[in-house]
Amino acid sequence: MSVERPRIALAGNPNVGKSTLFNALTGLRQHTGNWAGKTVATAKGEYRWRGVDYELIDLPGTYSLAAHSEEERVARDYIESGRAEVVVVVCDATCLERSLILVLQVLEFTGRVVVCVNLMDEAARLGVEVDVTALSDRLGVPVVAAAAGDGIGLDDLRCAIEKLVKGEGEPAPAPERAPEQRVSLAERYARQVLRGQEESRLRRQRRLDRLLTSKSTGIPIMLLLLGAVVWLTVAGANLPSALLTKLFASIGTWLEGLLAGAPAWLSGLLLDGVWRVTAWVVAVMLPPMAIFFPLFTLLEDLGYLPRVAFVLDHAFQKARTCGKQALCMCMSLGCNACGVTGCRIIDSPRERLIAILTSSLVPCNGKFPTLIALITLFFVGGRSGLLPSIEGAALLLGVLVLGVAGTLACSRFLSATVLKGMPSSFALELPPFRKPRVGQVLVRSVLDRTLFVLGRAVTVAAPAGAVIWLTANITVGDATILAHCTGFLDPFARLFGLDGVILMAFLLGWPANEIVLPVMLMAYLATGSLVEFDNLAALGQLLTQHGWTWLTAACTMLFSLFHWPCSTTCLTIYKETGSLKWTAAAVALPTALGLGLCLALNCAAHLLGVA
Amino acid sequence: MFETLRLSDLGEGESAYVKEVSARPGMDRRLTDLGLVPGTRVTCVLKSPAGDPRAYWIRGALIALRGSDAGGVRVERRLETVPAGVAVL
C-alpha cells in the first residue's frame, strides 16, 4: 500500500470530541461545541509525524453506519470505499458502551482501525476508568486513551496510526453481526473494561438538569440566562463603542489631512463614503459581538443548548417541526447565515426547509446595534445607568422572544400550507455538562466568529459606503438620487408607520444589517455624508426633527426584526436549498410578516388615538 | 410480578426493561442504533416543562424522545427487581 500520504478518517458518535481531536492533530480551528451535529460536512486537514504527511478526514458524527441519514451515508460511503488507510473510531469514555456499538460496526467494514477513547479526563472526574489494554485485547485492534482538549494521548494516537500504516498484512474485517448482537457485545465489553462508580457525580448532573428543564424553573431560567447575556452585551458595549468612535474620528481627521490636495469628489467618496461607513460599522458592531459571542460560546460549551431544545421542543412539536430547529435558531442569533447552514442537522427535508425559511426571523447580531439604539432613545428615554440598561436589556429580550414567536408561528403556517406534513421522529442527545474551557472559548469565539463576521461586514460596508455616498451626492434634476428614491417610497412606507428614508435604508442595507442606521442618518442629514455622533442624544434629536415618534421607532424595530435576510444569508439559503423559488420564499415570508405587523400596529395606534 | 407499559408512560425516576421496539419505520432502527434493544434497562430521567418530550437514560447516555416515538416502545417493569435507590438516577 502506498505510504506517500496516508489518509486517515475520523469516525465516531456525535459529540465525542471528534472535532476537538481533529483540531488538536491538525492545528486547524474547526468550530466545536457541546452538542450533537456540529460537524455538518466532512472537514479535511493534515499533520506531519516523523517525516510523513498524513491527510486527516473528519467524518460527520453518527450513531451507526446504517445510512438512514445524510451524515450516516457520508460516513458509511467513505469507510466502505476503502479510501482511508486507517479509520480512527473516536469513543466517549463517559459513554463507552454506546461508542462501542459503532466500533463493532466499523470493524465489520475494515480491520484497519485504531480506537481512540477520548474524554478520559471527563470520565476521571466522573470517577470512571477505562482499561484500554483490556479493551484492545477484546477488540483485536490498537486502543489509545486520550483527552484531546488538553492534548493528552495525541502522540500515542499518531504512533498507533503510523504502526498500522507501515505494518505489513491486511487485518481482516470482523464478520457481520445483527444489530442486537452488536449491542449486547458492546455491553459485555464495556462491563469488562470499565472500573469505578459514576453515580454521585451523575446525581449532581441530574440535579442541574432538573433545574434547567423542569416545569417550574426551566423556562424562567432560560429567559434569565438569555436576558443576562443580552444585558451584558448592551451594558458592556457602550464604553468600548464610544472609545472606538473617538479613535476612528481622530484617524478620520488624519486621513482628511492626507487627502487635502485631492479633488473634492474623491475625498468625499473615500472619506465620507467608504471610511465613515466602515468605521461606523466597526465601532457599533465589534463591541457587542466581542461580548455576545464569547458568552454564547460559553453556554454552548457547557452543553446548555440541547437543554434549550429540550425545553422548547413541545412548542416545535405543536408547530409540527423538528425539535432540533431550536438549535438552528440559537445559531441564527449569532448570524443568520450560520443558522441556515446549521439546519443540516435536521434529517427530514420538509422540516429542514421550514427551519431554513424561518431562520432569519430571530435577529442576528448585526441587528442588535440598531435595536439597542432605538430602544435606548425612544423607550428608555435616552438615560444611561444601571436601571435603564436593565430596562433596555429587558426590552431587547422582548424583541428576541417576539422573534421566537414569529419563528414558531411561521413554522406552523408553513406546516399547514406549502410544506404540509407531520413531525418526523428524532432523538436528541443531552450530553453531560462540561466545565467550559474559558481561555479556549475566548480565543476561539473572538478569532473565529467575531473577526469572521466582522470581516464579512466590513467587506460589504466599504463598497456599500461608496454606493451610498454616490446616490446621496449625484443630483438628477432637482434632487439627489437618494432623495428621489426616498420621496418615491415615502407614501408607501407611511402606510406601515415608516417613512421613505427608513425603507430605503433597509433596501440599501441588504448587504449588511449593520449599515441600516448609518444610511438613515446620511439621508436625513442630506449632507451626503455620515456625521459622527458623540452621543445618542444628538441622534435622537435628529430623528425627532424628522418626525419620528415612539410609533415610528416601534415600527422600525418590528421591520428590522422581520424583513428580508441579508445578502450573505440569501446566498447561503440558495446554496443550501439549490432553489431560487425557496430563496424567494425565504425573502418573502419575513418581509410579509414584518409589513403586516407594522401595518397592524400603525392602524391600531391611530385608531386608538395613541400615535 | 410483571407490568407491561409504553416507554412514554414511565414517570420521572422510574425504570423498566425494553420488551419490544415497534416505533415508526426509521425510528425503530435509530433507537436500535442508540442501544435500545429488548432487555435494555431504561430510566426516565427528565420531563420537559410540558411533560413531552422526556429524557431517558439509555446505556450511559441521556436521550430525549417525543411521546409519539417513545410510545412505540413497550417496556416491562419487573417490580420486585428494581432496587429502591436506583430511581434517583
Side-chain angles (χ1 to χ4, degrees):
Chain A
M1 201 169 265
S2 144
V3 284
E4 199 61 312
R5 214 165 107 112
R7 261 198 220 110
I8 316 297
L10 284 183
N13 286 164
N15 207 43
V16 294
K18 246 159 26 73
S19 297
T20 311
L21 183 67
F22 178 86
N23 291 342
L25 283 172
T26 59
L28 288 175
R29 280 198 297 265
Q30 240 213 111
H31 179 54
T32 60
N34 191 7
W35 50 287
K38 291 150 321 286
T39 309
V40 280
T42 40
K44 266 186 201 165
E46 52 189 80
Y47 71 90
R48 209 179 158 76
W49 178 245
R50 293 193 189 149
V52 181
D53 286 316
Y54 293 83
E55 190 175 322
L56 196 65
I57 292 102
D58 189 12
L59 297 174
T62 58
Y63 293 113
S64 94
L65 298 175
H68 293 312
S69 68
E70 192 54 38
E71 287 89 33
E72 288 176 12
R73 245 187 304 280
V74 170
R76 184 201 177 104
D77 285 351
Y78 200 90
I79 292 170
E80 213 174 12
S81 71
R83 266 180 287 170
E85 274 168 67
V86 175
V87 178
V88 176
V89 188
V90 187
C91 294
D92 179 349
T94 67
C95 183
L96 189 66
E97 190 179 331
R98 228 249 328 270
S99 301
L100 285 177
I101 302 177
L102 183 71
V103 173
L104 292 169
Q105 204 177 5
V106 172
L107 281 171
E108 291 167 23
F109 283 94
T110 170
R112 307 183 65 89
V113 169
V114 174
V115 171
C116 174
V117 183
N118 193 22
L119 302 173
M120 290 294 273
D121 48 342
E122 262 177 57
R125 272 200 292 274
L126 291 171
V128 176
E129 267 177 67
V130 181
D131 184 345
V132 289
T133 324
L135 185 60
S136 176
D137 288 345
R138 277 165 185 79
L139 294 171
V141 293
V143 178
V144 175
D150 296 325
I152 294 166
L154 297 181
D155 283 354
D156 292 347
L157 180 60
R158 290 186 181 111
C159 283
I161 294 170
E162 184 192 33
K163 241 191 208 156
L164 207 54
V165 168
K166 286 195 175 152
E168 295 296 309
E170 185 73 15
E176 206 177 318
R177 296 185 188 90
E180 290 76 14
Q181 271 178 302
R182 255 180 244 139
V183 173
S184 58
L185 197 57
E187 185 185 342
R188 199 167 74 225
Y189 286 171
R191 216 178 318 124
Q192 289 166 345
V193 303
L194 282 176
R195 319 245 175 284
Q197 269 282 347
E198 48 181 326
E199 302 224 339
S200 76
R201 175 67 195 223
L202 267 178
R203 231 169 261 147
R204 225 176 313 152
Q205 291 243 347
R206 285 303 84 86
R207 261 205 296 277
L208 184 55
D209 248 333
R210 229 165 268 145
L211 189 70
L212 292 178
T213 60
S214 84
K215 193 171 189 153
S216 51
T217 51
I219 290 174
I221 288 182
M222 189 177 72
L223 288 175
L224 267 177
L225 273 175
L226 186 59
V229 169
V230 165
W231 176 72
L232 284 170
T233 307
V234 172
N238 274 337
L239 185 66
S241 265
L243 288 177
L244 278 176
T245 308
K246 240 183 220 149
L247 173 73
F248 288 139
S250 51
I251 297 178
T253 320
W254 177 74
L255 283 175
E256 222 167 304
L258 217 62
L259 285 168
W265 67 268
L266 185 65
S267 72
L269 181 69
L270 290 180
L271 208 63
D272 297 339
V274 176
W275 167 252
R276 285 212 175 137
V277 170
T278 312
W280 166 288
V281 167
V282 175
V284 300
M285 230 184 120
L286 182 59
M289 271 198 324
I291 298 172
F292 181 86
F293 277 138
L295 287 175
F296 191 78
T297 316
L298 275 181
L299 285 179
E300 192 184 347
D301 211 41
L302 178 73
Y304 183 58
L305 297 196
R307 271 78 189 177
V308 171
F310 182 64
V311 167
L312 291 179
D313 180 68
H314 194 73
F316 283 98
Q317 224 174 119
K318 283 267 161 68
R320 299 194 180 162
T321 56
C322 182
K324 289 185 193 166
Q325 197 178 335
L327 292 171
C328 310
M329 213 169 60
C330 292
M331 290 288 104
S332 282
L333 212 51
C335 163
N336 286 171
C338 301
V340 171
T341 321
C343 291
R344 290 188 198 163
I345 57 169
I346 299 171
D347 295 331
S348 140
R350 183 188 75 88
E351 290 167 354
R352 208 181 120 201
L353 201 48
I354 291 180
I356 289 176
L357 292 183
T358 55
S359 62
S360 64
L361 296 174
V362 285
C364 72
N365 233 277
K367 293 180 182 176
F368 281 13
T370 310
L371 292 170
I372 294 171
L374 293 184
I375 286 173
T376 316
L377 284 174
F378 287 91
F379 298 98
V380 194
R383 292 166 294 136
S384 57
L386 182 66
L387 196 62
S389 76
I390 293 176
E391 278 175 43
L395 283 167
L396 187 55
L397 183 64
V399 174
L400 291 180
V401 171
L402 188 64
V404 174
T407 305
L408 287 167
C410 287
S411 300
R412 182 71 184 88
F413 168 75
L414 289 169
S415 287
T417 54
V418 281
L419 289 164
K420 267 203 187 82
M422 293 308 286
S424 70
S425 312
F426 82 102
L428 177 75
E429 182 163 1
L430 306 178
F433 293 104
R434 262 177 222 167
K435 211 166 87 194
R437 297 173 226 277
V438 178
Q440 219 169 329
V441 161
L442 276 178
V443 174
R444 287 278 152 76
S445 58
V446 169
L447 285 182
D448 299 354
R449 291 186 166 185
T450 310
L451 291 186
F452 174 74
V453 176
L454 186 73
R456 211 175 49 200
V458 168
T459 37
V460 293
V467 170
I468 294 160
W469 186 85
L470 287 174
T471 60
N473 284 278
I474 298 176
T475 309
V476 180
D478 54 346
T480 63
I481 299 179
L482 188 62
H484 278 302
C485 292
T486 57
F488 173 75
L489 288 173
D490 201 60
F492 176 72
R494 296 265 171 211
L495 251 162
F496 303 98
L498 311 169
D499 67 24
V501 168
I502 302 171
L503 197 54
M504 190 63 201
F506 278 110
L507 285 169
L508 285 173
W510 188 55
N513 280 299
E514 297 78 13
I515 62 173
V516 167
L517 206 54
V519 175
M520 275 185 218
L521 302 186
M522 264 194 191
Y524 280 137
L525 287 162
T527 52
S529 70
L530 184 61
V531 175
E532 268 130 33
F533 285 91
D534 343 13
N535 58 42
L536 269 174
L539 176 65
Q541 237 169 21
L542 176 79
L543 294 178
T544 327
Q545 275 164 19
H546 286 85
W548 276 57
T549 61
W550 71 267
L551 185 60
T552 325
C555 287
T556 308
M557 281 167 58
L558 263 181
F559 197 64
S560 168
L561 181 62
F562 300 130
H563 70 282
W564 47 84
C566 73
S567 55
T568 314
T569 307
C570 286
L571 199 66
T572 314
I573 293 173
Y574 178 67
K575 268 195 213 143
E576 292 295 310
T577 60
S579 143
L580 274 179
K581 192 186 81 178
W582 288 121
T583 312
V587 171
L589 181 79
T591 310
L593 179 65
L595 286 179
L597 286 176
C598 286
L599 184 68
L601 179 64
N602 193 30
C603 292
H606 278 103
L607 282 175
L608 295 172
V610 289
Chain B
M1 277 287 281
F2 289 102
E3 185 193 10
T4 309
L5 63 169
R6 293 181 304 180
L7 180 57
S8 51
D9 294 333
L10 277 191
E12 212 172 315
E14 292 178 341
S15 298
Y17 291 83
V18 175
K19 196 164 177 233
E20 189 191 358
V21 180
S22 57
R24 287 184 262 180
M27 190 59 186
D28 48 355
R29 291 300 304 266
R30 211 170 301 193
L31 292 175
T32 307
D33 293 340
L34 292 170
L36 202 72
V37 296
T40 307
R41 194 191 147 141
V42 216
T43 308
C44 174
V45 175
L46 294 174
K47 268 205 269 186
S48 64
D52 177 21
R54 294 179 191 191
Y56 303 92
W57 187 249
I58 304 169
R59 297 190 183 270
L62 189 58
I63 310 282
L65 297 173
R66 284 179 176 174
S68 51
D69 293 319
V73 180
R74 310 289 299 177
V75 294
E76 195 173 51
R77 230 182 332 202
R78 294 172 208 163
L79 290 173
E80 74 282 352
T81 56
V82 180
V86 185
V88 204
L89 264 183

